[in-house]
Amino acid sequence: MEKIRVRFAPSPTGYLHIGSARTALFNWLFARHTGGEFILRIEDTDLVRSKQEFLNEILESLKWLGMSWDGDPYFQSKRLELHKEAAKKLLVSGKAYEAEGALHLRMPQKKLKINDIVHGDIEFDTSLIKDQVLIKSDGMPTYNFACVIDDSDMKITHIIRGDDHISNTPKQVVIYEALGLPLPKFCHIPLILGVDRSRLSKRHGATSIRDYRDEGFLPEAIVNYLCMLGWSGSMGQEIMKVDQVIGEFSLEKINKTASVFDIKKLRWVNSEYIKVKAISELTDIIIEALKKEKLLDQEEGKIIDKKRLSDIIELFRERISTSYDFLDLARCFFTDELEYDSDGVKKFFTPETKAILQKLVDKLSPMEKFDISGVENAVRGLADELGIKAARIIHPMRLAATGKTVGAGLFETVALLGKEKTVERLKIALSKFFAG
């Protein structure tokens, strides 16, 4: 039986974006499901636009997503002799000709039918396609020609790529036929659209894998979500670990219609993975995010209190969709430079609040056991003494201690913040917002 070989062939002229990552993923899943090989080919023949930084980012993004390739990457720019040798055969056979310093393929005048795994039979009239340039006047092969020669030489059995390549397919098939090469099977995946049904672009949010990584998304969540953009498991579940997907994946299950990329849905998927992530792993991820935002004391030799940090993360785990949500919600634990919610200041820092906060400082300052139940008893006891609802104390207390009007449980939050820091922030709020 023929060994399945698929390839992902990015050009290092930009970062790896969501659409290309989904294409790479479907190739990788198919290879892993069938026990085949996933080949990486770098199409770097555009010498002007190809950059090392883009290549590095593409490779790092694939690794981060867990998509390992088989063998070393191929570089198209190192295969030029192979392309020129094939072009010479076509020239000698009379199927190609030279004009204006370039080599052109004579397009046959016929109807061409291609059986696509997703779309079924697609017909083309090659008489409507102009003769194709194979080798440009600068001596470099064109995209369609180099693809055919490389895919054939690498014994690629299935070409899995986006719908935007359907128009290239008849041009490539004609080249295969002209050289007497066996045809691979074609599988064109419908494109990913934005929520407004237009082609996915930067206006729909971040588009590169690097952007999502920087925004605090987990690789397993992105892989899960990309799987569901155009494919679904037998049980229809939305959360599927990659091993599950590999077990069920088939090209025949790919949808024929375009998928819509919804950042809100991706955030939900990511939040589901955060909820079950081992706290030790999540802590390490958030430590890196804190360092990047300069919110963690990185003084040389200073040991990070991972136990306390893990407790803070557990406090917010159910409320966050990304690690950067945590940096926003839990910012009060890592800096004294609070940004107070302006609407909250107007609503909760009213003139009568001054006396309440002053009494709260007096209540909390002498406490010896500053834990969750102790803080709650102190707050509710003060409310009873003043004959007011506890909410009249809780809301301004949260705003003074954290700068926010919403968050995790207040008593749990200030208990982790500690008595000294909590009392200090109540005093700062009193002097800042109730002077005079």
Side-chain angles (χ1 to χ4, degrees), residues 263-392:
I263 187 64
K264 291 180 181 177
K265 190 62 173 287
L266 174 57
R267 289 179 65 86
W268 174 79
V269 172
N270 205 65
S271 71
E272 292 299 299
Y273 276 88
I274 285 176
K275 287 173 186 172
V276 299
K277 190 83 170 169
I279 189 62
S280 59
E281 293 179 42
L282 193 54
T283 300
D284 288 341
I285 290 169
I286 286 178
I287 283 173
E288 290 308 308
L290 287 166
K291 286 179 178 177
K292 189 172 182 181
E293 293 298 307
K294 295 182 170 53
L295 287 173
L296 202 61
D297 190 343
Q298 297 179 66
E299 188 179 320
E300 190 174 348
K302 188 162 185 176
I303 298 172
I304 297 168
D305 186 347
K306 282 195 173 184
K307 172 64 173 68
R308 182 169 184 272
L309 180 54
S310 295
D311 289 343
I312 297 170
I313 293 169
E314 286 289 13
L315 184 61
F316 291 95
R317 187 202 281 259
E318 294 288 325
R319 292 175 169 268
I320 61 175
S321 298
T322 71
S323 59
Y324 275 77
D325 287 348
F326 173 82
L327 299 192
D328 178 48
L329 287 174
R331 194 176 186 85
C332 63
F333 287 97
F334 307 101
T335 179
D336 289 324
E337 297 176 10
L338 300 185
E339 294 181 8
Y340 297 89
D341 182 280
S342 57
D343 291 335
V345 168
K346 293 175 186 175
K347 185 174 181 180
F348 300 121
F349 284 172
T350 57
E352 56 269 27
T353 305
K354 181 178 181 180
I356 294 173
L357 291 181
Q358 285 175 332
K359 289 182 182 297
L360 183 60
V361 168
D362 296 338
K363 196 83 171 176
L364 299 179
S365 295
M367 286 179 62
E368 292 185 7
K369 192 176 182 183
F370 198 81
D371 58 10
I372 297 170
S373 60
V375 174
E376 182 173 5
N377 289 338
V379 170
R380 298 196 185 281
L382 179 59
D384 290 341
E385 290 173 23
L386 298 176
I388 60 176
K389 291 182 178 179
R392 291 274 304 280

Side-chain angles (χ1 to χ4, degrees), residues 136-199:
K136 295 178 287 187
S137 57
D138 63 2
M140 299 299 285
T142 57
Y143 167 77
N144 282 319
F145 185 56
C147 270
V148 169
I149 304 309
D150 289 339
D151 286 336
S152 177
D153 182 66
M154 295 174 186
K155 296 179 171 53
I156 301 302
T157 61
H158 294 70
I159 308 291
I160 306 168
R161 59 191 181 188
D163 265 358
D164 50 335
H165 283 285
I166 287 179
S167 61
N168 286 324
T169 306
K171 302 167 187 175
Q172 293 176 4
V173 168
V174 167
I175 297 171
Y176 275 104
E177 291 179 343
L179 287 165
L181 302 173
L183 282 178
K185 294 177 181 176
F186 291 94
C187 177
H188 289 91
I189 310 166
L191 299 178
I192 299 174
L193 304 178
V195 289
D196 59 359
R197 307 294 299 183
S198 66
R199 188 164 181 172

